[in-house]
Amino acid sequence: MSEEQLKGWNHLPDVPLKTSPFFTWPPNPVEMVKWFWNSWFLITEKLIIVGIAFACYIWFQPPLDATQTFEFGWIAQMYARNIVLTLLVAGSLHLWFYTYSAQGKKLKFDPRPLMVQGRQFTLGGQVRDNMFWTLGTGVLIWTAFEVSLFWALANGHMRLITFEANPFWFVAIFFLIPIWESFYFYVIHRALHIPFLYKHVHSLHHRNINVGPWSGMSMHPVEQLIFLSSVFVHLIIGAHPVHILFHLQYYFLTAITTHTGFQGILVGDKNRLALGTFHHQMHHRYFECNYGSLEIPWDKWFGSFHDGTVSANEKMQERRKKIMG
């Protein structure tokens, strides 16, 4: 851990935080391979969600032919599946980290507990409020987008990509979705911080200064619509049904996992599964930094990157003073 540490945090990762080596000069092939491997392989969020997507496609997804017409049965089946997935992921993480406090405050970024009460929350408490927006409108919009894309795919309104016909493109799409997410999220996130949109839309998500698993998809329905609309890129590039499942599950479920408030799941003395990111945790506390992710250094390029050091914090405060006049 660096000697230069920010105050007010319970756990700090090694700082300064590093962005993807694919955008540094001169190129470092060894660091590129390590970054790619650590992002994807062995036990990672991405690979787990690929597995969930295939499991859903094989066992819990209506046949494509059935989705040619809108019918209650197959739509209800998909909605129920998404409700169960959300409850399993967000619910189990909340139980592990907060209800049973299975690892105490080890790897927890913010030392404070989640808020039990608060006037800013619609239902009076942080967890209840977050569950309401996640399960109430979030899962509904997620399912509606899945339904519309499966209908479009079944009726020939978008290109069907199969492994048999194009194995390279079939596999490549899984790796390209997180890259697309990095670009798309940064653009919409900066837009959501425009004062009008922030006040009327994005501020609901920012009620969570100290985040937990149910915070990730706790958004105004307008923001949920914008956030999940990234999946409509498949109307242009095409998809297999499992790509649609993976894309929306990746967006929805990693929003949950990256907002756990912990750097990962600790078993013994080892972090067995990396989850929450300090990079985004700082955004929830400081607001005017780290709008994107570390995969593509948009924040570095546009001057809003906070690398977790005291010097970066001082620069952020100087920018605030200039903006405030």
Side-chain angles (χ1 to χ4, degrees), residues 49 52 56 60 77-96 127-144 146 212-219 224 227-228 245 248-257 260:
I49 296 174
I52 292 172
C56 288
F60 305 108
Q77 178 183 339
M78 291 170 64
Y79 178 69
R81 179 194 65 211
N82 294 341
I83 285 283
V84 170
L85 269 176
T86 305
L87 288 170
L88 283 174
V89 175
S92 61
L93 289 173
H94 183 83
L95 288 171
W96 174 267
V127 176
R128 289 195 302 273
D129 193 66
N130 290 339
M131 290 182 70
F132 171 77
W133 293 108
T134 301
L135 295 170
T137 56
V139 176
L140 192 64
I141 292 168
W142 170 14
T143 306
E146 277 187 342
W214 287 105
S215 305
M217 282 304 301
S218 179
M219 305 173 181
Q224 291 168 339
F227 178 67
L228 296 174
L245 292 170
L248 283 164
Q249 288 171 4
Y250 178 75
Y251 266 58
F252 204 99
L253 299 181
T254 58
I256 292 170
T257 59
T260 56

Side-chain angles (χ1 to χ4, degrees), residues 57 61-69 149-151 153-155 160 241:
Y57 173 65
Q61 176 61 31
L64 194 59
D65 290 346
T67 65
Q68 286 183 320
T69 56
L149 285 173
F150 276 108
W151 175 86
L153 193 60
N155 287 281
L160 174 63

Side-chain angles (χ1 to χ4, degrees), residues 4-58:
E4 188 181 23
Q5 297 178 15
L6 292 173
K7 295 180 180 179
W9 297 97
N10 174 68
H11 168 75
L12 287 171
D14 290 338
V15 296
L17 299 178
K18 296 180 180 179
T19 57
S20 168
F22 288 90
F23 298 90
T24 58
W25 189 262
N28 188 329
V30 174
E31 288 299 316
M32 291 179 183
V33 171
K34 285 172 62 178
W35 179 281
F36 178 75
W37 179 265
N38 292 332
S39 296
W40 272 98
F41 294 107
L42 298 184
I43 303 175
T44 66
E45 287 178 305
K46 293 185 178 75
L47 211 56
I48 289 170
I49 296 174
V50 169
I52 292 172
F54 273 97
C56 288
Y57 173 65
I58 294 169

